[in-house]
Amino acid sequence: MKKVLGLVVVFLFVLSSLSFSAAQGLTGKKVLILKNVDAWNFDTNEVVLTELGVSYDVMTADQLNSLTTSDLINTYDMILIASDQNQQFYDDLGPQMLKLEEFVKAGKVLQVHAANWGWHGGLWTTSLPGGVSITRGYSNYDYIVKNGSWLYSNYASHGYLINVPADAEIVTVQGDGTTPDYTKPSTIIYSLGRGRVLVSGLTFEYSVRYGGPEWKAFLKELIVDNLEYSKKKEEKPEAVQKSFNYVIWNFFYYRQYQKATERFNLLYSSPEAGELDNETLELALFHKTLAEQYYAKAEENGPIFRNLNSIKVFINLRKAYFYVRDAVGVLEESMG
């Protein structure tokens, strides 16, 4: 318990620092909040965006019909869909999902608070962009994979996600407060065209009010990260791509991946690893498995050394290295 509390304290301190500094660079960013009603009767998203100094508009799903894809792309950097809406909202939004997909593919961000089955009784009528869906399943505890801390609330999440893209980043998973259940991801981030989508079954709007300060810090971090992502997409990616040497960087990440894998195998087979708790070992293996999946994707078109000048190899090999590095980090930190 002391370890968990310590992680939460550090987590809050780091997030508050990151949110403050990052927010200074969000001037000029604009968010569209889609909702018919306040989720659980709270305007949490508006409060958080105001604290971050981010401009926003609020619109119902029916009002969204009046805007074209070009209108959205030219006006907003991110669209945020609130949780817990009435059925009319989901019925009106369903036929417009293609418009939202085109918005994302143009380099923008869609943040979907997908927790339904709430106070207003609405249910999603369509899949989310990329075919992702949410399955009903309540959990009081959700585990933040990146820093190993838990979020607690009276129903921290209302569901977990299925049909998750293979290259999605798993941000949170459901669990029992002790053991994460990696088969039930509750927050994911994945690419779509030039943009990205964040989908979560977490009860953000409710839990920011009642679940503790770590909830607001976590929501702020996700929003800032998404807006910073859209900001980077505006910085002439074509020019960067032309000057980028994929051969050098693919070779670099290949060597780093091999070294980190050797280090992981050494640590995992050591006597000290036998003294670690199951949660730590599962987290390490989770990162290692993701690393192997990305490495396999990097090899889909043949051995890496035959495709060193490939952006696809670069994207997957880089992620493979980062995940195996994280797996090593989990073991090293736990072994002291």
Side-chain angles (χ1 to χ4, degrees), residues 166-168 170 182 257 261 264-265 268 281-297 316 319-328:
D167 62 346
I170 308 301
Y182 294 108
Y257 176 86
T261 298
F264 176 86
N265 292 336
Y268 193 77
L281 293 175
E282 287 178 3
L283 178 59
L285 285 174
F286 175 69
H287 286 297
K288 181 62 163 54
T289 299
L290 288 175
E292 292 171 348
Q293 291 174 351
Y294 279 114
Y295 190 83
K297 287 179 68 68
N316 290 295
K319 289 182 178 179
Y321 163 63
F322 285 154
Y323 275 115
V324 74
R325 182 193 63 180
D326 290 344
V328 170

Side-chain angles (χ1 to χ4, degrees), residues 16-28 51-54 224 228 231:
S16 63
S17 300
L18 286 175
S19 296
F20 177 79
S21 59
Q24 310 311 306
L26 299 180
T27 303
E51 291 183 3
L52 288 172
V54 177
V224 168
E228 286 294 323
K231 178 182 178 181

Side-chain angles (χ1 to χ4, degrees), residues 22-73:
Q24 310 311 306
L26 299 180
T27 303
K29 291 297 178 182
K30 193 165 189 178
V31 174
L32 174 61
I33 299 174
L34 292 178
K35 66 177 186 179
N36 282 13
V37 293
D38 288 334
W40 292 285
N41 298 332
F42 300 130
D43 61 345
T44 300
N45 298 310
E46 290 93 318
V47 170
V48 168
L49 288 171
T50 298
E51 291 183 3
L52 288 172
V54 177
S55 176
Y56 64 86
D57 290 333
V58 180
M59 190 174 294
T60 67
D62 181 59
Q63 290 171 334
L64 180 64
N65 276 303
S66 65
L67 297 183
T68 66
T69 301
S70 295
D71 292 333
L72 294 174
I73 292 171

Side-chain angles (χ1 to χ4, degrees), residues 245-262:
N245 192 320
Y246 289 109
V247 174
I248 293 176
W249 282 103
N250 281 336
F251 181 76
F252 169 78
Y253 282 120
Y254 172 81
R255 290 297 303 143
Q256 294 302 310
Y257 176 86
Q258 298 299 328
K259 290 179 181 178
T261 298
E262 292 174 6

Side-chain angles (χ1 to χ4, degrees), residues 75-179:
T75 307
Y76 301 104
D77 301 283
M78 183 174 87
I79 295 175
L80 190 158
I81 300 175
S83 307
D84 181 34
Q85 295 300 294
N86 56 31
Q87 192 58 51
Q88 189 62 54
F89 175 85
Y90 297 115
D91 290 344
D92 289 340
L93 185 65
Q96 301 184 78
M97 292 306 293
L98 181 60
K99 180 162 57 177
L100 298 185
E101 285 194 11
E102 293 304 313
F103 171 81
V104 176
K105 290 177 179 178
K108 305 295 185 174
V109 178
L110 177 64
Q111 181 162 324
V112 185
H113 295 179
N116 50 156
W117 305 289
W119 289 357
H120 294 103
L123 302 177
W124 279 95
T125 56
T126 59
S127 296
L128 299 167
V132 175
S133 297
I134 184 167
T135 294
R136 186 173 186 173
Y138 299 113
S139 178
N140 289 334
Y141 294 91
D142 281 76
Y143 183 75
I144 302 176
V145 174
K146 188 174 184 179
N147 63 26
S149 65
W150 288 93
L151 293 168
Y152 170 78
S153 182
N154 184 20
Y155 298 123
S157 59
H158 275 195
Y160 57 91
L161 305 165
I162 59 174
N163 300 324
V164 175
D167 62 346
E169 175 188 354
I170 308 301
V171 181
T172 66
V173 298
Q174 294 185 336
D176 60 6
T178 301
T179 304

